[in-house]
Amino acid sequence: MLSTAGPAASHSLIVASSTNASKPFANLNHNIPRFLGFRQFSPDCSCSGSVSFGWNSGSKRKFNRSRMEGFAVRASAQPLKNADELIDSVETFIFDCDGVIWKGDKLIDGVPETLDMLRSKGKRLVFVTNNSTKSRKQYGKKFETLGLNVTEEEIFASSFAAAAYLKSIDFPKEKKIYVIGEEGILKELELAGYQYLGGPDDGGKKIELKPGFLMEHDEDVGAVVVGFDRYFNYYKVQYGTLCIRENPGCLFIATNRDAVTHLTDAQEWAGGGSMVGALCGSTQREPLVVGKPSTFMMDYLANKFGIQKSQICMVGDRLDTDILFGQNGGCKTLLVLSGVTSLSTLESPKNTIQPDFYTNKISDFLSLKAATV
């Protein structure tokens, strides 16, 4: 029998779901990861939204998405008028990358000057992205290419979050991880000391459906990690499905569920949520999401840097990931309109997510600062 490292602790798997989403989990007890020591399955249908997972251990670690899916009544967002007031009220700024710092491979105007100004004021800067195609080291090179001085310690990608999450639950090193995703996830898993298979290597594989054909899969796979994948194909869907459905206790982890992403600055492209959705359909299971708006990365950052969450401002261009991420973590929130969210979307009666402030782009910190002197 496999065992986890560290002292024994009681664990429970927490599931939050809407009424409509609860039925697929009525008989899910057999899917609880036995090798992680989970003993109890606790459905909770008190919040709206899709079914979600969190982990609660005797060490008081709790990473759940129940808060992520709830809707709170908030006052309408206010346009940012006094940048100095916001800057002085926090110690740390967490920035999303796509749509805030850059679009595709193009830097958004005024970003270098804005970051330099914030650093000159002694602010800690952290960059968080749901894009899992690169590792932290690879993202460091992208920042460098764009002329930005950002260290690897300041970067948190969802590829890193997947590896960090597995470490946080003492995922057994003898178990393997099947990856539907790109090089970033593989590199972070390797740095964390995990065995993996799949990824880009399976991008060219095809299935020849002949009478009686049975597709084999590795029974030692204990987790399937799904992220954005430009080499997504039916082979990967079937392999991941077999692992999740047939390997006892196999985890289903998603780096994010973003509907769209910025591969270029010319248009929006289908995001990692489309790959995750395919596995949701074939397995009839919902993943544990480690990227935004899950609070896992926020909790990790707060613990790593010793930051009080009330002293953080989350800056992003997406309401349902960035702003919700900040709100779930108890941070101040600033929406920038340089990415996917327009002012009309923000002000729509259908929108239930309201940031504290909004502005056109982060370089408004400079102009609005000057206007208030």
Side-chain angles (χ1 to χ4, degrees), residues 43-55:
D44 178 1
C45 300
S46 60
C47 75
S48 61
S50 61
V51 178
S52 53
F53 293 83
W55 305 96

Side-chain angles (χ1 to χ4, degrees), residues 22 34 45 61 103 150 152 192 207 231 248 265 313-314 330:
S22 63
R34 301 190 192 99
C45 300
R61 289 176 303 197
K103 274 191 173 182
V150 175
E152 187 176 323
I207 298 175
Y231 313 101
D265 61 351
C313 180
M314 176 64 209

Side-chain angles (χ1 to χ4, degrees), residues 70-366:
F71 293 111
V73 177
R74 290 179 175 265
S76 297
Q78 299 297 311
L80 183 65
K81 295 180 179 179
N82 189 336
D84 276 346
E85 186 176 0
L86 176 60
I87 293 170
D88 293 341
S89 70
V90 297
E91 298 176 354
T92 300
F93 283 89
I94 298 180
F95 292 99
D96 176 47
C97 295
D98 297 330
V100 178
I101 304 299
W102 59 64
K103 274 191 173 182
D105 290 321
K106 184 178 180 182
L107 193 66
I108 294 175
D109 292 341
V111 166
E113 297 84 355
T114 304
L115 300 184
D116 287 344
M117 180 272 290
L118 292 173
R119 289 189 191 279
S120 72
K121 287 180 170 288
K123 304 302 176 182
R124 177 187 285 108
L125 307 184
V126 179
F127 302 87
V128 176
T129 175
N130 267 356
N131 191 329
S132 62
T133 60
K134 294 182 176 65
S135 64
R136 290 201 295 175
K137 185 174 183 178
Q138 289 171 313
Y139 268 112
K141 292 180 179 178
K142 178 167 184 175
F143 277 101
E144 183 179 355
T145 299
L146 293 173
L148 300 176
N149 184 22
V150 175
T151 68
E152 187 176 323
E153 289 295 306
E154 296 174 315
I155 302 168
F156 289 85
S158 62
S159 53
F160 172 79
Y165 173 75
L166 289 167
K167 289 181 71 174
S168 77
I169 61 171
D170 296 322
F171 183 81
K173 292 294 178 72
E174 60 267 31
K175 282 287 184 178
K176 300 176 185 176
I177 300 158
Y178 184 69
V179 177
I180 299 176
E182 299 193 16
E183 190 176 7
I185 299 174
L186 304 186
K187 286 186 174 295
E188 294 293 357
L189 291 176
E190 183 177 357
L191 287 172
Y194 290 114
Q195 305 175 67
Y196 62 81
L197 62 156
D201 286 348
D202 284 357
K205 294 182 179 179
K206 298 180 180 180
I207 298 175
E208 294 184 17
L209 295 177
K210 300 177 181 178
F213 175 75
L214 176 69
M215 184 173 177
E216 301 288 347
H217 73 283
D218 194 326
E219 296 180 357
D220 288 330
V221 170
V224 174
V225 175
V226 184
F228 180 77
D229 191 343
R230 285 169 290 188
Y231 313 101
F232 192 64
N233 58 22
Y234 188 66
Y235 179 93
K236 294 183 179 183
V237 174
Q238 177 65 3
Y239 201 100
T241 299
L242 290 172
C243 292
I244 293 170
R245 293 184 63 168
E246 298 187 11
N247 289 3
C250 184
L251 300 174
F252 178 16
I253 298 172
T255 60
N256 70 86
R257 300 188 76 164
D258 292 357
V260 296
T261 189
H262 294 121
L263 295 181
T264 69
D265 61 351
Q267 65 179 165
E268 293 179 349
W269 299 79
S274 59
M275 293 82 193
V276 175
L279 271 292
C280 290
S282 61
T283 63
Q284 291 297 289
R285 280 181 57 181
E286 292 291 317
L288 186 147
V289 182
V290 294
K292 298 174 293 184
S294 163
T295 58
F296 173 75
M297 281 201 288
M298 184 69 74
D299 294 337
Y300 186 94
L301 289 169
N303 292 332
K304 178 178 176 63
F305 293 116
I307 311 170
Q308 290 186 355
K309 295 176 184 178
S310 61
Q311 291 294 306
I312 298 173
C313 180
M314 176 64 209
V315 183
D317 69 315
R318 294 175 185 263
L319 293 166
D320 60 348
T321 54
D322 301 325
I323 301 307
L324 205 52
F325 176 64
Q327 290 177 352
N328 289 340
C331 309
K332 293 182 175 67
T333 54
L334 172 65
L335 176 75
V336 291
L337 304 176
S338 52
V340 301
T341 304
S342 64
L343 183 58
S344 60
T345 299
L346 173 64
E347 295 178 339
S348 170
K350 296 180 180 179
N351 172 39
T352 60
I353 304 171
Q354 293 290 330
D356 294 313
F357 303 99
Y358 70 89
T359 193
N360 289 321
K361 53 188 182 298
I362 66 169
S363 60
D364 288 345
F365 275 157
L366 302 172

Side-chain angles (χ1 to χ4, degrees), residues 52-72:
S52 53
F53 293 83
W55 305 96
N56 188 10
S57 74
S59 59
K60 304 299 183 183
R61 289 176 303 197
K62 185 177 183 180
F63 309 121
N64 66 63
R65 284 183 29 207
S66 59
R67 287 180 294 168
M68 178 188 77
E69 301 294 351
F71 293 111

